[in-house]
């Protein structure tokens, strides 16, 4: 079916050329008075509505080899394009001398960081020991202070009270005895049994016992009213000082430990950061050589991009610069090939997913491959927009069955996406149709006068447009209709008085029919044809009235 349409297409093209030459010769013979008007006779026949564009062959699935090195790196060796490789083969090598130098410096930094970490950890151990000893001393001091207070309250003070009470009781008993003795001594002295000296001695002994009793009672008073309060206050103060000293030591220990632990954490992070940087440099050095992850044919990414009209891309070669994550090499997989084609935004209404396509590869002239459209881009291609912001192209993919031939990625081809195919249709060149306020019109040769006629049209294939109604096969239409001055003529015709109606193409003055005018002379005629009193335009879908 596709080959049949192709043959019909060539036949239509030949017929159009012959008719155009014939029309030109006729207009040349008939138009001697002025400039010749190019015309085209409305044709009826097979018509194919399709979108044509250039494309390229790409692999459906491929392994993308990208640079994983940081910054800009120089390529010092690259495998030749088109070579078939096996897994593990060296594909590309970057200059890693700077990375090796950085790795040597980083190894020294890692050793220093580890030494600083060891010093900080040992300092932490020493600080923990000092803090533990200081805490133990303060705890012992607090315990001794508590014990001293308890010992005085429950031991020393009650013992002193009992001692002073015993002294008071003993002094009181001795005072009583001394008083009784003095009383007996006075009786005996009256009777003359004791001398005056012995009586005075007994009296002195009584006074001494009184003094002893008073002293014992004074000691008890001092003990209960002053000494106990003083001693308790002193011991309470010592206990509180010991508690505060213990709390202060705890806070000091916590601050000292936190300071040292912070230093240890900082040294640990420095060591980890230095170690990670060393591992990253080792990883970068290992990635300076790129090996093939799978088997396949080598294809430079720059070659594919340049083939896609990205002319600013520099080809991959020794000495080229590559940035991180830049695509360098493609390895197509054995999953088939697809055709990538860029479709303009104006042609998107003519394509649908699944529509048939015909592909002609430049490397295989004379052969046509059948395919179908499988993918239409959602957004315009950004790279094409950089070249021409006003032109929006959408990337589409076409699946084809390439049998019995060897297809290589990057091959150029021409694609024809078939929208509709008519066995019998009316058509004219697209330049014959002009739109006035959104309404399509053609200029038809009506007895030598060019008359605008409203038509209903369908799709076009960028050369011919399908005419649904408004003209008949064989009618002559103007190839270069007046576009710019048509609105001005319409405005003038509104202001002109109506002319009497003409019948069957006769002039109002009864003269002979006019000859075909030139494009410049056709403009006033087109204006008179639109005059309400002029000949009426035939109904849509028909030609002149017989």
């Amino acid at each position: 079916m596709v080959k049949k349409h192709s043959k019909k297409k060539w036949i239509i093209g030949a017929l159009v050329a012959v008719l155009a030459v014939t029309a030109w010769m006729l207009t040349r013979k008939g138009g001697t008075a002025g400039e010749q008007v190019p015309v085209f006779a409305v044709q009826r026949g097979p018509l194919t509505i399709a979108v044509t564009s250039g494309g390229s062959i790409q692999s459906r699935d491929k392994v993308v080899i990208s640079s994983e090195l940081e910054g800009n790196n120089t390529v010092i060796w690259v495998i030749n394009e088109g070579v078939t490789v096996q897994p593990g083969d060296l594909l590309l090598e970057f200059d890693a001398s700077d990375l090796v130098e950085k790795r040597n410096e980083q190894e020294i930094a890692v050793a220093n960081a580890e030494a600083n970490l060891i010093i900080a950890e040992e300092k932490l151990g020493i600080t923990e020991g000092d803090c533990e000893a200081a805490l133990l001393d303060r705890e012992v001091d607090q315990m001794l202070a508590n014990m001293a207070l308890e010992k005085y309250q429950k031991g020393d003070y009650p013992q002193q009270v009992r001692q002073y009470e015993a002294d008071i009781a003993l002094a009181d008993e001795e005072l009583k005895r001394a008083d009784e003795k003095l009383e007996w001594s006075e009786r005996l002295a009256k009777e003359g049994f004791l001398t005056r000296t012995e009586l005075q001695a007994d009296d002195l002994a009584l006074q001494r016992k009184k003094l002893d009793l008073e002293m014992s009672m004074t000691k008890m008073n001092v003990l209960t009213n002053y000494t106990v309060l003083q001693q308790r206050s002193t011991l309470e103060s010592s206990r509180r000082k010991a508690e505060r000293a213990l709390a202060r030591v705890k806070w000091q220990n916590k601050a000292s430990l936190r300071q040292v632990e912070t230093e240890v954490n900082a040294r640990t992070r420095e060591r980890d950061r230095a170690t990670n940087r060393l591992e990253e440099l080792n990883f970068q050095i290992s990635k300076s050589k790129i090996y093939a992850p799978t088997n396949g044919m080598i294809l430079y990414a720059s070659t594919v991009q340049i083939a896609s009209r990205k002319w600013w891309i520099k080809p991959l070669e020794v000495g080229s610069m590559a940035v991180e994550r830049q695509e360098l090499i493609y390895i197509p997989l054995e999953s088939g090939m697809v055709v990538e084609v860029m479709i303009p935004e104006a042609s998107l209404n003519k394509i649908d997913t699944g529509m048939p396509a015909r592909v002609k590869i430049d490397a295989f002239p004379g052969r046509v491959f059948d395919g179908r459209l499988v993918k239409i881009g959602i957004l315009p291609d950004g790279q094409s927009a950089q070249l021409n912001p006003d032109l929006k192209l959408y990337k589409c993919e076409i699946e084809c069955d390439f049998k019995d031939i060897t297809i290589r990625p990057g091959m150029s081809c021409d694609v024809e996406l078939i929208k509709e195919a008519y066995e019998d249709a009316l058509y004219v060149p697209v330049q014959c149709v002009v739109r006035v306020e959104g309404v399509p019109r053609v200029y038809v040769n009506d007895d030598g006068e060019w008359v605008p006629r409203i038509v209903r049209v369908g799709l076009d294939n960028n050369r011919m447009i399908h005419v649904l109604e408004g003209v008949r096969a064989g009618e002559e239409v103007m190839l270069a209709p007046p576009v710019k001055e048509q609105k001005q003529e319409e405005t003038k015709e509104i202001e002109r008085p109506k002319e009497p109606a003409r019948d069957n193409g006769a002039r109002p003055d009864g003269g002979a029919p006019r000859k075909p005018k030139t494009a410049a002379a056709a403009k006033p005629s087109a204006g008179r044809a639109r005059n309400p009193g002029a000949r009426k335009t035939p109904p849509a879908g028909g030609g002149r009235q017989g």
Side-chain angles (χ1 to χ4, degrees):
M1 184 65 184
V2 176
K3 293 182 178 179
K4 183 178 180 181
H5 285 309
S6 179
K7 292 180 179 178
K8 290 182 178 180
K9 180 180 177 182
W10 287 105
I11 294 173
I12 291 171
L15 290 174
V16 170
V18 171
L19 291 173
V21 172
T22 304
W24 177 79
M25 293 179 67
L26 291 174
T27 55
R28 185 178 181 181
K29 292 178 179 179
T32 58
E35 185 180 356
Q36 298 176 359
V37 179
V39 297
F40 180 84
V42 180
Q43 298 295 317
R44 178 182 294 275
L47 177 65
T48 300
I49 303 299
V51 178
T52 59
S53 179
S56 61
I57 308 295
Q58 301 296 336
S59 58
R60 179 183 292 107
D61 298 319
K62 57 180 178 285
V63 177
V64 180
I65 307 298
S66 303
S67 173
E68 298 184 21
L69 295 182
E70 297 176 352
N72 293 330
N73 299 277
T74 306
V75 178
I76 60 176
W77 185 85
V78 62
I79 193 170
N80 294 328
E81 191 172 16
V83 176
T84 302
V85 297
Q86 299 298 324
D89 292 348
L90 181 62
L91 303 181
L92 185 142
E93 183 177 1
F94 291 104
D95 183 11
S97 57
D98 292 340
L99 294 175
V100 173
E101 183 65 24
K102 291 180 180 179
R103 181 181 63 180
N104 296 335
E105 296 177 357
Q106 194 62 30
E107 289 177 349
I108 298 175
V110 170
N112 293 333
E114 291 179 348
N116 293 333
L117 177 59
I118 293 174
I119 294 173
E121 291 176 346
E122 292 183 352
K123 184 178 179 180
L124 176 61
I126 295 172
T127 303
E128 289 177 349
D130 294 341
C131 292
E132 184 178 358
L135 180 63
L136 182 60
D137 292 340
R138 298 290 81 79
E139 288 178 349
V140 171
D141 292 342
Q142 184 186 21
M143 182 181 63
L144 293 177
N146 291 332
M147 290 177 62
L149 178 60
E150 185 178 2
K151 173 176 173 290
Y152 177 75
Q153 291 179 347
K154 297 182 179 181
D156 293 345
Y157 174 65
Q159 182 180 1
Q160 289 180 0
V161 170
R162 287 193 297 271
Q163 179 66 38
Y164 288 162
E165 288 178 350
D167 292 343
I168 292 173
L170 182 61
D172 185 45
E173 187 65 28
E174 289 181 350
L175 178 61
K176 290 180 180 181
R177 288 184 181 183
D179 188 24
E180 291 178 356
K181 185 178 179 181
L182 178 60
E183 185 179 355
W184 285 103
S185 297
E186 288 179 351
R187 291 179 183 178
L188 293 175
K190 289 179 181 181
E191 294 179 356
F193 294 103
L194 291 178
T195 64
R196 185 177 180 81
T197 302
E198 291 177 343
L199 181 60
Q200 289 178 352
D202 291 338
D203 185 37
L204 183 60
L206 178 60
Q207 298 298 326
R208 185 181 294 112
K209 296 305 178 183
K210 287 181 179 181
L211 292 174
D212 291 341
L213 179 60
E214 290 177 0
M215 291 180 61
S216 297
M217 294 178 68
T218 302
K219 288 181 179 180
M220 175 62 74
N221 186 30
V222 171
L223 176 63
T224 56
N225 294 327
Y226 301 102
T227 305
V228 64
L229 298 177
Q230 181 181 5
Q231 192 66 22
R232 283 179 180 175
S233 298
T234 302
L235 294 176
E236 285 285 349
S237 177
S238 299
R239 183 179 64 83
R240 287 195 297 269
K241 288 181 179 179
E243 290 177 353
R244 292 178 180 177
L246 178 61
R248 183 171 58 254
V249 167
K250 288 182 178 180
W251 285 106
Q252 289 177 351
N253 291 347
K254 187 181 293 185
S256 299
L257 290 175
R258 184 171 296 176
Q259 182 179 2
V260 179
E261 287 174 353
T262 301
E263 184 178 358
V264 172
N265 293 334
R267 299 303 181 185
T268 302
R269 288 195 296 269
E270 290 179 0
R271 191 274 312 270
D272 294 341
R273 184 175 61 182
T275 303
N276 293 337
R277 180 56 181 166
L278 180 59
E279 293 176 355
E280 179 66 20
L281 289 174
N282 289 329
F283 175 78
Q284 293 288 322
I285 292 174
S286 65
K287 293 300 180 181
S288 62
K289 294 182 179 181
I290 301 178
Y291 298 91
T294 183
N295 59 334
M297 184 181 65
I298 296 299
L299 182 65
Y300 292 167
S302 59
T303 302
V304 177
Q305 293 168 354
I306 293 174
S308 301
R309 299 184 179 182
K310 300 176 182 178
W311 300 290
W312 62 89
I313 301 296
K314 295 182 179 180
L316 179 63
E317 59 185 358
V318 175
S320 300
M321 301 297 293
V323 298
E324 187 177 5
R325 299 182 182 180
Q326 177 181 342
E327 296 182 357
L328 302 173
I329 296 175
Y330 297 150
I331 301 180
L333 300 179
E334 298 179 357
S335 58
M337 297 288 182
V338 296
V339 178
E340 290 186 357
V341 60
M342 306 300 290
I343 301 299
E345 183 180 20
S347 300
L348 288 180
N349 62 331
K350 303 177 185 178
I351 62 175
D352 295 303
T353 304
M355 67 186 304
R358 291 184 290 188
V359 180
K360 298 179 181 180
I361 303 177
D362 296 347
F364 302 95
R367 297 195 59 177
V368 179
F369 301 92
D370 297 332
R372 64 185 184 90
L373 182 63
V374 296
K375 180 180 178 181
I376 301 176
I378 300 176
L379 298 175
D381 183 62
Q383 301 293 343
S384 301
Q386 292 181 357
L387 297 177
N388 187 357
D390 297 330
L391 179 62
K392 295 181 180 180
L393 301 178
Y394 290 77
K395 182 182 293 186
C396 302
E397 292 184 1
I398 300 171
E399 285 186 351
C400 290
D401 188 9
F402 300 108
K403 294 181 179 179
D404 304 330
I405 60 173
T406 302
I407 299 296
R408 297 180 181 274
M411 285 185 172
S412 300
C413 61
D414 293 325
V415 178
E416 184 179 18
L417 296 169
I418 302 173
K419 176 64 175 178
E420 297 175 354
Y422 302 99
E423 296 293 337
D424 185 18
L426 290 174
Y427 56 89
V428 295
V430 292
Q431 64 267 26
C432 293
V433 180
V434 295
R435 294 182 182 272
V436 179
E437 297 180 355
V439 179
R441 291 178 170 84
V442 296
Y443 279 80
V444 182
N445 187 359
D446 185 4
D447 293 337
E449 183 177 3
W450 294 105
V451 180
R453 186 182 300 173
I454 298 176
V455 294
R456 188 165 65 91
V457 297
L459 298 177
D460 65 89
N461 57 7
N462 295 330
R463 297 185 302 276
M464 297 293 173
I465 185 169
H466 184 198
V467 181
L468 302 177
E469 293 179 355
V471 294
R472 294 181 301 179
E475 288 187 313
E476 292 183 353
V477 295
M478 188 183 296
L479 278 174
V483 179
K484 297 182 180 179
E485 301 178 4
Q486 185 161 355
K487 290 186 178 181
Q488 298 179 0
E489 295 293 337
E490 291 176 357
T491 305
K492 294 179 181 179
E493 291 296 330
I494 294 175
E495 299 176 354
R496 291 180 182 177
K498 296 183 179 180
E499 297 178 1
R502 292 175 293 178
D503 187 19
N504 296 329
R507 295 174 56 88
D509 55 358
R514 297 179 182 178
K515 295 182 181 180
K517 299 181 179 180
T518 61
K523 296 174 186 177
S525 300
R528 289 193 295 274
R530 294 184 58 86
N531 191 292
R535 174 193 293 268
K536 296 183 179 179
T537 303
R544 295 193 307 269
Q545 298 294 331

